Amino acid sequence: MDLEALRALPKAELHQHLDGAIRPETAVELAAEAGISLDLDGARARMIAPPHCRDQAELLTYFDLPIALLQTTPALSRVSAELVEAMASDGVRYGEIRWAPRLHLERGLAVTAVIEAVAAGVEEAARRLGDTAPLIALIVTAMRSHPPGANVELARTAAAFGEPVVGFDLAGPEATYPAPPHAAAFRAAEEGGLALTAHAGEVPGPERIREAIDLGVRRIAHGVTSAQDPATIALVRERDVTLDLCPTSNVQAGIVPDLAAHPLARLHRAGVSVTISTDDRTVSNTTLSEEMARSALAQEMTADELAAIALNGFRRGFWRGLALSRLTDLAQRAWGAWAVTEPAIS
Ligand SMILES: [Zn+2]
């Protein structure tokens, strides 16, 4: 399969984290500004996770440096703009960027200022990119480990911000922190008009996926462990919940041993709505085009299957309004034409 052809196709990416996508070169400069000693090798070693971590908890340690560096308005805006540029050069035409504003308050910023800084970076990238700028929506992430009351406040602030913030998410160590204590935050987000998603299914057992579905989410970030349990697959399908899967990241977190064992294609064939994303361009050292190419090859997908999964990204996006419908039409034509010329993936 031609990676360049995939790169040129219009793509949607629904699951990626701002803090997992800092360019190592940028990290070195931000560290210098923050008085942290860091060279390029050090930045790479602390931000790019190995192919196989022990578990999700170990993978999460690769976000410690990024979080430390993203504590000022200029740093947040710069990294946001650079991520949008990276997505544009990868052919992403619609992207949702998520991050946890409450992790960026260490040096005095308020939650609203953090959201403003990221939105300003996205706008700056749009100015620089002009016609090639992707449509970008933001998802505000609440941390499982944070106090439920603080997350309710976060949901209200995120909802009050308005566009480009369109969604509300939950993330963090699943093994230790269940989702139900954060149900009130999800109600507040929903009442404020935000679309709901949550991270779940990166640790063994389908319970965390059921908890996320009980929060009323339309999409689950990962949800990989649903594949182990027919009843959970049935529930995900019945509620029409989309799983935003990130194959390389899931291998790194130790949920599956390798890409061939990832349930992406199997879930798609079982009628579950799935999408492909990078999760973290830097931490997982990948691009969306590469994720699509590698997954399609490892799982022996047909071109039609890959096209259908790619189009789910547009159809299941949280952005409301014509801009996304227009992009969906464009993507449908482009992927349809590609699938005709690419009958077998090899
Ligand atoms: Zn994620």
Side-chain angles (χ1 to χ4, degrees):
M1 189 175 18
D2 182 2
L3 186 61
E4 285 316 306
L6 276 186
R7 213 183 292 284
L9 282 163
K11 290 174 291 298
E13 183 166 16
L14 304 184
H15 179 182
Q16 59 181 329
H17 298 260
L18 178 68
D19 46 341
I22 306 183
R23 293 177 187 160
E25 295 78 6
T26 300
V28 171
E29 291 181 28
L30 294 178
E33 287 163 19
I36 299 169
S37 157
L38 185 74
D39 62 16
L40 194 53
D41 285 345
R44 291 200 178 107
R46 289 171 66 183
M47 297 200 307
I48 302 174
H52 298 279
C53 294
R54 227 172 16 255
D55 51 21
Q56 185 206 21
E58 188 192 343
L59 182 61
L60 290 176
T61 63
Y62 288 85
F63 293 84
D64 293 347
L65 175 66
I67 294 295
L69 296 177
L70 293 176
Q71 298 296 335
T72 66
T73 297
L76 283 159
S77 295
R78 175 179 175 177
V79 168
S80 305
E82 288 179 355
L83 172 54
V84 175
E85 287 176 329
M87 289 159 65
S89 67
D90 191 22
V92 175
R93 299 299 303 272
Y94 174 66
E96 295 180 3
I97 298 174
R98 63 184 75 199
W99 87 112
R102 296 193 76 262
L103 295 177
H104 305 272
L105 311 179
E106 286 168 17
R107 285 169 65 186
L109 290 180
V111 165
T112 305
V114 174
I115 300 176
E116 272 166 5
V118 172
V122 170
E123 261 179 53
E124 171 60 25
R127 266 195 301 274
R128 276 189 236 154
L129 290 164
D131 290 347
T132 60
L135 173 64
I136 299 291
L138 300 178
I139 296 176
V140 162
T141 297
M143 298 305 293
R144 288 173 177 269
S145 53
H146 287 181
N151 282 339
V152 171
E153 202 49 46
L154 175 69
R156 290 193 183 125
T157 307
F161 193 88
E163 283 179 1
V165 176
V166 298
F168 192 70
D169 171 39
L170 185 68
E174 262 183 277
T176 325
Y177 298 98
H182 302 292
F186 276 74
R187 293 292 68 78
E190 191 173 42
E191 281 161 21
L194 297 179
L196 306 180
T197 183
H199 280 68
E202 281 186 280
V203 296
E207 303 80 34
R208 291 289 186 258
I209 292 173
R210 290 175 173 269
E211 287 174 5
I213 291 175
D214 287 344
L215 292 175
V217 300
R218 277 163 53 189
R219 300 193 336 234
I220 289 178
H222 302 305
V224 183
T225 51
S226 65
Q228 298 159 357
D229 179 37
T232 307
I233 294 181
L235 181 67
V236 168
R237 206 168 36 205
E238 181 191 305
R239 303 281 176 91
D240 200 21
V241 169
T242 295
L243 305 183
D244 296 322
L245 298 162
C246 307
T248 296
S249 169
N250 296 153
V251 173
Q252 285 178 299
I255 317 173
V256 289
D258 53 38
L259 287 184
H262 196 284
L264 172 72
R266 191 151 54 87
L267 286 164
H268 173 69
R269 288 166 193 153
V272 174
S273 166
V274 296
T275 68
I276 301 178
S277 295
T278 59
D279 210 2
D280 303 288
R281 277 178 152 64
T282 301
V283 175
S284 295
N285 196 20
T286 190
T287 64
L288 182 56
S289 305
E290 284 169 325
E291 285 300 288
M292 287 181 167
R294 286 179 200 155
S295 307
L297 272 176
Q299 302 190 23
E300 300 178 344
M301 288 181 208
T302 65
D304 282 336
E305 285 174 333
L306 181 59
I309 292 169
L311 290 173
N312 283 344
F314 289 92
R315 296 198 182 110
R316 300 299 172 127
F318 283 160
W319 189 269
R320 279 185 294 255
L322 271 180
L324 182 54
S325 339
R326 273 197 291 265
L327 286 172
T328 308
D329 291 344
L330 174 94
Q332 223 160 344
R333 284 193 297 273
W335 281 91
W338 172 80
V340 169
T341 58
E342 186 90 17
I345 288 175
S346 59

